[in-house]
Amino acid sequence: MFARRLSVVTARALSRKYASTPFDATGAAVDALRDELASTCDGVLEQGKKLNWVFLGAPGVGKGTYASRMAKQMGVPHISMGDLVRAEIKGETALGKEMKAIAARGELVPDALVLDILDKRVKRGEAEGERGFLLDGFPRTVPQAETLSTMVEVTQVLNLTLREDILVEKCCGRRECGECGKSFNIADIRSEKAGEQTIIMPPLNPPQECFAKLTQRPDDTEEVVRARLEVYKKSTIPVENYYRGKGLLSDFPIMGGIPETTPVLLKHIIDILKASTR
């Protein structure tokens, strides 16, 4: 099947959907960028190129947040490995049962099983005429990246970056409503350091009815967050270098909250796509 074209009408509908939340960018200028991204993606596909993107970044940087939004605008599915694994386990498939048993023993799920799930998802998308994909937070090791390259062509990798001290503060501010399940962040970040660009991230506060029901993940403490970042550096920074060496990786520094970052990120992706068609 041929990849489907994402019309400007559809892009505008998606813009309205995301602009309806208090935590997203709004206005004519950002809507125009969303429309431009949709039409630019159409142009890439018309040249016979693929939209197979990977988003990398440290824990808490916002990969899932931005990947889901950009995937909608690009007209491709947002694929999260965590979601795929959880779906297999919940669906009690053969792979799901095997992974559940492994996890129950306290062992890590082997790469072969994870990659098998991803391979099936990508092939299903190709058969259904999907325009590509936006893979969130995977691969995490160079061997995974090398195996992924044998399964499908990765056309671009975007590495979201944020200063470590800001990452820690952001992760420690994460909260979830114990009743409705929605996520928020109470960290009010304003970093002004000499010689560095100011980083401002206003809190994503809950509505009044959720305040008394907020919960915090037990692993969202400074000690645990810093430990996770060290694990990330050892395993995933080599992945960044792997894709950088192939000329596929672009760094994108997060300098603000979602409303401030979204238009800059849209423009960044548009520029990458336009450069790929020259």
Side-chain angles (χ1 to χ4, degrees), residues 32-92:
L33 284 170
R34 289 180 171 117
D35 290 349
E36 185 178 359
L37 176 56
S39 60
T40 303
C41 288
D42 287 341
V44 169
L45 292 168
E46 286 167 0
Q47 289 194 11
K49 300 179 184 293
K50 298 181 183 298
L51 293 171
N52 296 341
W53 282 54
V54 170
F55 270 29
L56 298 178
V61 77
K63 292 185 299 295
T65 297
Y66 292 110
S68 61
R69 284 165 166 78
M70 295 303 116
K72 289 286 186 182
Q73 305 304 323
M74 296 169 72
V76 298
H78 167 219
I79 299 178
S80 161
M81 279 309 307
D83 289 346
L84 289 182
V85 169
R86 283 187 287 273
E88 290 286 330
I89 293 174
K90 185 177 180 180
E92 297 187 333

Side-chain angles (χ1 to χ4, degrees):
M1 296 176 66
F2 293 105
R4 293 186 290 269
R5 183 181 180 87
L6 183 68
S7 70
V8 171
V9 172
T10 302
R12 285 175 179 155
L14 292 169
S15 299
R16 287 193 296 273
K17 173 184 176 182
Y18 281 101
S20 66
T21 89
F23 304 144
D24 212 331
T26 59
V30 74
D31 284 348
L33 284 170
R34 289 180 171 117
D35 290 349
E36 185 178 359
L37 176 56
S39 60
T40 303
C41 288
D42 287 341
V44 169
L45 292 168
E46 286 167 0
Q47 289 194 11
K49 300 179 184 293
K50 298 181 183 298
L51 293 171
N52 296 341
W53 282 54
V54 170
F55 270 29
L56 298 178
V61 77
K63 292 185 299 295
T65 297
Y66 292 110
S68 61
R69 284 165 166 78
M70 295 303 116
K72 289 286 186 182
Q73 305 304 323
M74 296 169 72
V76 298
H78 167 219
I79 299 178
S80 161
M81 279 309 307
D83 289 346
L84 289 182
V85 169
R86 283 187 287 273
E88 290 286 330
I89 293 174
K90 185 177 180 180
E92 297 187 333
T93 65
L95 282 175
K97 290 177 180 177
E98 186 174 354
M99 287 188 293
K100 185 176 182 179
I102 291 170
R105 296 196 298 268
E107 301 172 5
L108 292 175
V109 177
D111 282 357
L113 288 182
V114 175
L115 286 160
D116 189 20
I117 293 170
L118 179 58
D119 188 38
K120 289 178 179 176
R121 172 62 185 85
V122 170
K123 286 178 178 173
R124 175 166 61 82
E126 290 174 345
E128 294 175 355
E130 289 179 346
R131 295 156 51 97
F133 57 77
L134 203 165
L135 186 54
D136 163 15
F138 188 91
R140 295 184 177 181
T141 66
V142 172
Q144 288 176 349
E146 290 172 339
T147 303
L148 179 62
S149 69
T150 67
M151 292 164 37
V152 66
E153 178 191 3
V154 172
T155 55
Q156 186 65 41
V157 179
L158 193 64
N159 183 41
L160 304 180
T161 65
L162 182 61
R163 254 184 23 222
E164 185 167 318
D165 58 320
I166 304 295
L167 267 174
V168 172
E169 188 174 354
K170 188 168 173 276
C171 287
C172 291
R174 292 191 293 200
R175 297 291 187 274
E176 185 176 288
C177 177
E179 185 171 296
C180 71
K182 290 183 180 178
S183 297
F184 306 97
N185 198 304
I186 62 172
D188 190 357
I189 297 169
R190 184 179 184 89
S191 175
E192 298 175 290
K193 290 189 176 183
E196 294 188 13
Q197 190 171 341
T198 298
I199 299 176
I200 300 174
M201 294 183 173
L204 305 179
N205 287 322
Q208 192 63 40
E209 59 268 22
C210 293
F211 262 110
K213 304 161 189 169
L214 293 183
T215 61
Q216 182 181 24
R217 282 169 40 173
D219 58 346
D220 274 346
T221 64
E222 181 173 352
E223 182 181 4
V224 176
V225 170
R226 290 193 182 277
R228 285 205 305 263
L229 290 174
E230 287 305 311
V231 171
Y232 169 79
K233 291 175 189 176
K234 290 177 182 176
S235 63
T236 311
I237 287 181
V239 176
E240 296 172 17
N241 294 332
Y242 170 82
Y243 284 120
R244 203 183 308 277
K246 292 181 174 294
L248 295 175
L249 187 134
S250 171
D251 291 309
F252 181 82
I254 305 290
M255 304 303 296
I258 296 171
E260 298 80 20
T261 300
T262 296
V264 184
L265 180 55
L266 285 165
K267 182 66 167 58
H268 187 79
I269 294 174
I270 290 167
D271 289 345
I272 290 172
L273 290 169
K274 286 184 174 179
S276 74
T277 60
R278 293 183 188 132

